Amino acid sequence: SKIGPKIAMLLGALTYCLFILTFLWPQTWLLYVASAVLGTGAALIWTGQGMYLSKCSDESTISRNSGIFWALLQMSMFFGNLLVFFLFQGKTHIDNDTRTLVFSILAGVAIIGIVFLGALRKPNQPSITVDDEMPEHQQSPKQAFINAVRLFMTKRMLQLSVTFIYTGLALSFFSGVYGASIGFTEAIGESAKQLVGLNGVFLGVGEVLGGVIFGLLGKRTAKWGRDPIVIAGFIIHISSFFLILMNIPNAAPFGDTDDVAFFKPPIAAVAILCSFLLGLGDACFNTQIYSMLGGVFAKNSAEAFSIFKFTQSVATAISFVYSSHLGLRVQLGILLVFGILGTACFCLVEWAVKRSRAVDVNECETVDTKK
């Protein structure tokens, strides 16, 4: 609210660069301090870029721009994991030279990203919101925080928060639990450890493909609504959960195991297919959440995106805590329950938005007729 989205993104990006550079001098205490700083920076960059995306879009372009943004963002998962896959190939111990090379490349990319963020133009402010619960005006940080709390307590945002929670739980699962579980499943064979890198690559492929598709279908998404895409994402995720249940043993999240699930032995191709499906389904949810927040809550985009990242991050943190204590089947059950609730709540909000638009159109037509 005080410094605007561009400066917020720049400050957030600096913390990402700092975090990467700490791996050139790995110290346990420094990792924890840098992680805390990174978390603060993440709040700045995610809220800032959500606000910036909203200001650069209108009702007809927000879905397209969200898809393009998501595809570009997730390209990092594809190229980053591909880089690590080849550089770490055949190594059981990461030597200093390899570590320095990897993190020097990542730091270089981060610095280039900061330069590009600094070159961004000041966005226009199209008026596209259909949610007039909160006023639009220049406000102090204190007032912005109060408005964020008020917005969080509205019916629509409370319903969307259930969807945010699901995306946070899913994020921690595919970014932390699933890849490690593949590597710990020794019945897959000697390639199990290498599949961890490929898991990240195919997650990225699914995320990028989803972003590209929804970017190309932006105008049609605006016409059909966001709910069919979210429902499709839910079906894709449910399919991947079922295949993971069949393929990966229940004890896999806890460490190396010789156990097997229903597929005996586990099938490496199915494990990688699930990675792709997890990424594609996640793209369905996140692109439409961005479209919803940037379109419906455009007047309060900073508050809306901060609520999104706050709720999602809390869910992610909770998931990382329980993931080290609960078996794979219980974790998939939790994802299933919140997936159902999150999809239903998103659809309820989308249908309410459609009804509001229909009422506005009818009122305009009535006024024109009277004239």
Side-chain angles (χ1 to χ4, degrees), residues 26 54 60 72 92 105 126 149 158 170 193 200 209 277 281 326 362 366:
S54 176
S60 63
L72 291 172
T92 57
I105 293 172
V149 175
L158 286 173
K193 303 302 181 186
L209 180 62
L277 294 176
L326 301 177
N362 290 334
T366 302

Side-chain angles (χ1 to χ4, degrees), residues 107-142:
V109 172
I111 291 169
I112 293 171
I114 291 172
V115 172
F116 275 98
L117 284 175
L120 288 175
R121 66 175 176 83
K122 185 177 180 180
N124 298 321
Q125 179 61 68
S127 180
I128 63 174
T129 185
V130 298
D131 192 330
D132 293 322
E133 296 177 40
M134 307 293 290
E136 179 185 18
H137 56 269
Q138 191 67 32
Q139 54 190 358
S140 65
K142 179 182 177 181

Side-chain angles (χ1 to χ4, degrees), residues 166 169-170 172-174 176-178 181 241 244-245 250-254 318-339:
Y166 173 67
L169 298 178
S172 65
F173 179 77
F174 66 69
V177 177
Y178 182 59
S181 297
F241 296 159
I244 292 169
L245 177 69
N250 187 54
F254 305 131
I318 292 172
S319 178
F320 273 121
V321 171
Y322 72 63
S323 64
S324 60
H325 301 285
L326 301 177
L328 187 64
R329 294 173 186 174
V330 176
Q331 294 189 47
L332 291 173
I334 292 172
L335 287 170
L336 175 63
V337 171
F338 277 94

Side-chain angles (χ1 to χ4, degrees), residues 55-172:
K55 288 179 177 292
C56 290
S57 307
D58 57 33
E59 191 63 42
S60 63
T61 61
I62 184 65
S63 295
R64 179 201 67 191
N65 293 348
S66 298
I68 294 172
F69 162 74
W70 194 255
L72 291 172
L73 166 71
Q74 296 299 339
M75 289 292 281
S76 61
M77 287 192 69
F78 177 75
F79 289 113
N81 282 286
L82 203 60
L83 170 72
V84 169
F85 176 75
F86 286 112
L87 289 180
F88 288 5
Q89 202 163 26
K91 296 188 177 185
T92 57
H93 175 74
I94 309 305
D95 56 86
N96 288 340
D97 290 341
T98 303
R99 172 173 51 80
T100 301
L101 176 61
V102 169
F103 287 103
S104 296
I105 293 172
L106 294 178
V109 172
I111 291 169
I112 293 171
I114 291 172
V115 172
F116 275 98
L117 284 175
L120 288 175
R121 66 175 176 83
K122 185 177 180 180
N124 298 321
Q125 179 61 68
S127 180
I128 63 174
T129 185
V130 298
D131 192 330
D132 293 322
E133 296 177 40
M134 307 293 290
E136 179 185 18
H137 56 269
Q138 191 67 32
Q139 54 190 358
S140 65
K142 179 182 177 181
Q143 189 59 45
F145 178 77
I146 293 173
N147 285 345
V149 175
R150 289 175 179 171
L151 181 62
F152 182 69
M153 298 308 296
T154 61
K155 180 180 178 181
R156 288 182 182 177
M157 192 57 75
L158 286 173
Q159 289 174 326
L160 285 175
S161 293
V162 181
T163 311
F164 303 160
I165 290 171
Y166 173 67
T167 62
L169 298 178
L171 173 64
S172 65

Side-chain angles (χ1 to χ4, degrees), residues 349-366:
V349 175
E350 176 67 7
W351 295 338
V353 170
K354 288 180 179 178
R355 286 194 297 270
S356 297
R357 287 176 180 159
V359 170
D360 291 341
V361 170
N362 290 334
E363 288 179 352
C364 290
E365 290 177 349
T366 302

Side-chain angles (χ1 to χ4, degrees), residues 237-247 262-263 274 332:
H237 267 182
I238 293 302
S239 302
S240 68
F241 296 159
F242 174 74
L243 290 174
I244 292 169
L245 177 69
M246 300 295 290
N247 198 44
F262 296 95
F263 293 162
C274 290
L332 291 173

